[in-house]
Amino acid sequence: MTTVLTRPREHRAIAGVCAGLARYLGLPVAWVRFGVVALALLSGVGVVFYAWLWIFVPDEQEAVVGAAEPVRGAAEQTRTWALGDRLGDRLGSSAGRGWQVIVGIVLLVLAAALGLQMTGIRLNWGLIGPVAVVLLGVALAWLQLDSLRGDATDRAGRTHRITSLVLGLLLVMAGILALAAGLVGAQDMWLGLVVAIVILAGVVLVAAPWVIKLWRDAAAKSSALAVQTERAEIAAHLHDSVLQTLALIQKNADHSAMVARLARAQERDLRQYLYADPTRPDGSLTDRLQDLAAAIEDDHGQPIEVVTVGVAAGPWLDPLLQAAREAMLNAVRHAGPARVYAEAGPAAVEIFVKDRGDGFDLDAIPQDRLGIRESVIGRMERAGGTATISTGAGGTEVRLHLPVPEHAAGRATEETTEGAAP
Amino acid sequence: MTTRVVIVDDHAIFRTGLKADLDPADIAVVGEAGDVDSAIRIIHELEPEVVLLDVHLPGGKGGGGAEVAASCQDLAPEVRFLAISVSDAAEDVVSVIRAGARGYVTKTISGAEVSAAVQRVAGGDAVFSPRLAGFVLDAFGTADVAVRDEELDLLSARELEVMRLIARGYTYREAAKDLFISVRTIETHVSNVLRKLQLSNRHELTRWAGERGLL
């Protein structure tokens, strides 16, 4: 049960009226839907009731924007909607489901009418037909209104919506004309049509500036709110991260290693916040490598610079990343700052870990030291890859090479698009 | 002979720090500027050999370092630009390079490295940080394309190899040793890549530059 009556974005059959009502009253959705349908059969009360709520009960999204909730909450909310929308797209959009329901209702009504006629009751088709057409048109047009509020960027979706809107409008007009034609003669009808158009034109002339002004005001208000939301979010982030770190740095001012470590960790965090590519799928090679490097930086206080090229994702990267982690650990333990370069190509993924230490004698490593021999070279070989180490006075470089497994090669592109959804 | 340098950065603390870091035997800082307009004026006035240019700068038309470099192209090739930034964003880097900068380094590098980079730029060569090399590989693709070498939109196999080594953190000297070629040849390859980066019409690059209003 919620405190505000809103129409939810998900799990809606047509416009989310019943779902919202059920949530508000704390009743099962099925009961509410059954009740509305029953009311609809009672000379159409349910239909009017439904339409009434559809108009006046705000969409979940509008409700929050309108209520100007505490700004930070709103920001988080936005993210949730975005998520919801994406989910909706994946499950088949709610508008698409609305269509199916409408077609179902039309068929049911048609079947009921035919059934009634077969039992001998005379139906006034001249009245029922046009009214049904008008209702259908209204439902069509309104359904578009709900999806129109979402993202207007999707061009294909927009043309689809506009077509539906025009179709709905034409249906309503045709229905009304048919109704009118039943009441008056053809001659009067044409006259009436002309008068109606003239009156409509007058109304439009008077109302247009008002509507435009209202619309502009609303747009300005919502963009101002968006700016405010963003600013509050940035302020909150800076407060949580940068100010806290600066306070810590002041406290540890005479502890230079600590200061460097704090500054480095904060820099990484801020970079992630400012420059992270939102289109990159979670769990990609880049992210995982950067996370590993970050953890090692924190533990050992040595910077690790990571540069990655290309995109790869999947569990088959695990051994490669584990070996890279071991190589990075060795570098910061024995040599100092390290550099990591990863390249994901179509056939293989390679990672290079380079340091500028004094190098070491590969053969001089005792047999019982498993570090390099086992966790780097052995691990890569077991995974079907290779690891080579070159070391000398200019530093050490560990090169890891792992071919892309066949089952992952075909899926590579698929994964990058699929991975975007949680 | 010392190289005459102008430092353009909106943070006075950073300018002072950088000045102290640069090797006074090789480099003389002759001027400083903190925003786009004063930078353009001072550079035209002093005509330094190298301008150390921050990517994000206030003033002007809002184009930052890229605007400064673009507005000073009348002084090329006597005045050369080396971009120096904390930014990791590809569009920042690429836009300033496409506006005419001869190289890009991050602010975390040591004074000795900056000094070396300034000398290299003053000598007419290009300076690529590992990260810039990474961007180049990302934008041009890593596949071997030696067959279509002549096109601006593609890197030759050799240029790819050089970019990869730089991305891995090799110095020019180390890269030369690894590929059994001279440092001079490495410099030529890097300069060619820089030229392609500035002139190529690959959509990744035009998109980055377009976002900053540079086309």
Side-chain angles (χ1 to χ4, degrees):
Chain A
M1 187 172 159
T2 55
T3 46
V4 202
L5 178 56
T6 54
R7 294 183 287 118
R9 304 276 294 173
E10 290 163 54
H11 308 299
R12 46 165 65 173
I14 303 176
V17 170
C18 293
L21 208 56
R23 204 169 58 172
Y24 181 66
L25 298 172
L27 294 172
V29 188
W31 290 16
V32 178
R33 286 197 176 134
F34 182 76
V36 170
V37 170
L39 278 176
L41 292 176
L42 285 177
S43 61
V45 177
V47 176
V48 176
F49 178 63
Y50 194 95
W52 177 262
L53 287 181
W54 189 349
I55 300 173
F56 288 105
V57 172
D59 201 48
E60 221 167 27
Q61 192 165 333
E62 295 172 296
V64 182
V65 173
E69 277 199 349
V71 182
R72 238 196 127 200
E76 269 151 31
Q77 206 81 40
T78 319
R79 226 170 288 140
T80 332
W81 304 324
L83 207 69
D85 284 348
R86 240 183 293 147
L87 270 179
D89 288 343
R90 281 164 63 80
L91 297 173
S93 67
S94 48
R97 294 240 315 280
W99 262 104
Q100 290 164 13
V101 173
I102 285 179
V103 169
I105 290 175
V106 167
L107 289 177
L108 277 179
V109 168
L110 209 61
L114 286 175
L116 283 176
Q117 199 162 31
M118 267 166 41
T119 54
I121 301 170
R122 293 202 54 80
L123 291 173
N124 185 353
W125 283 104
L127 189 66
I128 293 179
V131 169
V133 168
V134 169
L135 284 180
L136 189 64
V138 167
L140 243 181
W142 285 5
L143 212 56
Q144 297 322 307
L145 193 65
D146 268 350
S147 45
L148 210 60
R149 288 184 197 117
D151 52 315
T153 45
D154 178 8
R155 187 165 292 178
R158 227 161 88 181
T159 28
H160 165 76
R161 281 175 209 146
I162 290 170
T163 334
S164 305
L165 190 68
V166 171
L167 194 67
L169 208 62
L170 287 177
L171 279 176
V172 170
M173 273 161 52
I176 289 176
L177 281 180
L179 266 182
L183 298 176
V184 297
Q187 194 69 35
D188 295 342
M189 171 113 161
W190 284 114
L191 188 67
L193 203 60
V194 170
V195 172
I197 287 172
V198 170
I199 291 177
L200 265 183
V203 169
V204 166
L205 192 68
V206 174
W210 288 84
V211 172
I212 290 172
K213 187 176 160 17
L214 280 176
W215 182 70
R216 282 202 184 134
D217 285 356
K221 214 178 277 177
S222 79
S223 72
L225 182 71
V227 169
Q228 202 187 351
T229 307
E230 197 182 334
R231 188 173 298 164
E233 199 186 359
I234 291 172
H237 182 91
L238 292 185
H239 179 266
D240 288 351
S241 58
V242 179
L243 286 184
Q244 304 270 27
T245 307
L246 286 176
L248 275 175
I249 285 178
Q250 285 171 34
K251 265 191 209 162
N252 295 292
D254 25 309
H255 201 310
S256 74
M258 182 70 152
V259 167
R261 193 176 297 190
L262 283 169
R264 175 73 185 160
Q266 182 55 58
E267 180 195 342
R268 213 172 46 221
D269 177 71
L270 208 53
R271 270 183 202 290
Q272 176 67 24
Y273 178 69
L274 292 174
Y275 304 123
D277 181 0
T279 59
R280 204 174 54 208
D282 285 347
S284 72
L285 176 69
T286 310
D287 284 335
R288 293 175 68 184
L289 202 54
Q290 272 170 351
D291 288 348
L292 287 176
I296 296 172
E297 270 185 16
D298 282 345
D299 288 348
H300 296 269
Q302 297 284 359
I304 301 178
E305 204 74 49
V306 180
V307 174
T308 54
V309 169
V311 178
W316 58 276
L317 290 169
D318 290 355
L320 179 68
L321 284 163
Q322 281 157 2
R325 177 173 178 275
E326 210 59 43
M328 287 189 267
L329 272 174
N330 275 317
V332 296
R333 273 192 201 131
H334 305 298
R339 248 180 206 300
V340 178
Y341 171 68
E343 184 179 308
V349 176
E350 286 182 296
I351 298 183
F352 302 85
V353 179
K354 187 171 172 62
D355 66 56
R356 297 228 167 258
D358 301 327
F360 61 92
D361 186 355
L362 209 50
D363 298 325
I365 310 173
Q367 283 293 335
D368 56 328
R369 288 288 301 280
L370 291 179
I372 290 276
R373 225 186 290 281
E374 195 40 39
S375 25
V376 178
I377 302 175
R379 182 173 270 143
M380 288 306 293
E381 279 168 0
R382 278 194 299 277
T386 52
T388 48
I389 296 163
S390 60
T391 178
T396 304
E397 188 178 50
V398 179
R399 301 166 200 184
L400 309 171
H401 176 105
L402 185 66
V404 177
E406 274 176 26
H407 67 91
R411 278 209 333 253
T413 47
E414 195 184 325
E415 258 168 25
T416 52
T417 47
E418 286 282 305
Chain B
M1 199 199 115
T2 56
T3 309
R4 297 169 67 245
V5 169
V6 164
I7 300 178
V8 180
D9 195 295
D10 51 335
H11 291 101
I13 302 178
F14 179 76
R15 292 202 300 266
T16 315
L18 184 58
K19 224 164 124 177
D21 260 0
L22 291 169
D23 186 354
D26 296 329
I27 291 166
V29 177
V30 294
E32 293 177 32
D35 60 59
V36 172
D37 305 297
S38 64
I40 295 173
R41 189 167 44 76
I42 287 172
I43 292 165
H44 278 91
E45 211 169 277
L46 298 172
E47 297 198 10
E49 288 160 79
V50 176
V51 178
L52 280 167
L53 184 64
D54 189 14
V55 174
H56 291 278
L57 287 173
K61 298 188 199 79
E67 188 182 339
V68 175
S71 306
C72 295
Q73 281 307 300
D74 50 324
L75 301 173
E78 279 75 28
V79 177
R80 297 189 171 98
F81 291 86
L82 173 60
I84 180 159
S85 171
V86 290
S87 171
D88 270 353
E91 56 266 31
D92 288 341
V93 183
V94 173
S95 66
V96 76
I97 294 284
R98 281 178 78 96
R102 298 286 301 166
Y104 179 90
V105 291
T106 44
K107 281 186 176 174
T108 45
I109 73 171
S110 71
E113 285 173 303
V114 182
S115 302
V118 167
Q119 297 298 355
R120 204 175 280 284
V121 168
D125 290 317
V127 173
F128 276 29
S129 69
R131 199 166 290 280
L132 177 53
F135 288 151
V136 170
L137 289 169
D138 235 354
F140 283 90
T142 49
D144 195 337
V145 287
V147 218
R148 298 161 70 192
D149 189 358
E150 70 285 357
E151 289 179 35
L152 266 182
D153 288 355
L154 300 165
L155 299 184
S156 73
R158 205 52 155 179
E159 286 162 358
L160 273 178
E161 276 178 307
V162 172
M163 280 299 114
R164 272 205 190 98
L165 288 174
I166 292 173
R168 278 156 67 178
Y170 281 55
T171 62
Y172 286 12
R173 190 183 306 278
E174 287 168 333
K177 203 173 146 214
D178 197 78
L179 297 174
F180 302 106
I181 52 182
S182 71
V183 176
R184 194 61 248 166
T185 316
I186 295 276
E187 285 168 347
T188 311
H189 284 309
V190 176
S191 293
N192 284 340
V193 173
L194 183 86
R195 191 172 51 86
K196 289 183 182 181
L197 191 57
Q198 285 169 340
L199 300 178
S200 158
N201 283 321
R202 280 191 79 92
H203 76 273
E204 291 91 345
L205 298 170
T206 48
R207 181 169 55 84
W208 283 333
E211 279 166 3
R212 296 291 295 259
L214 287 165
L215 289 180

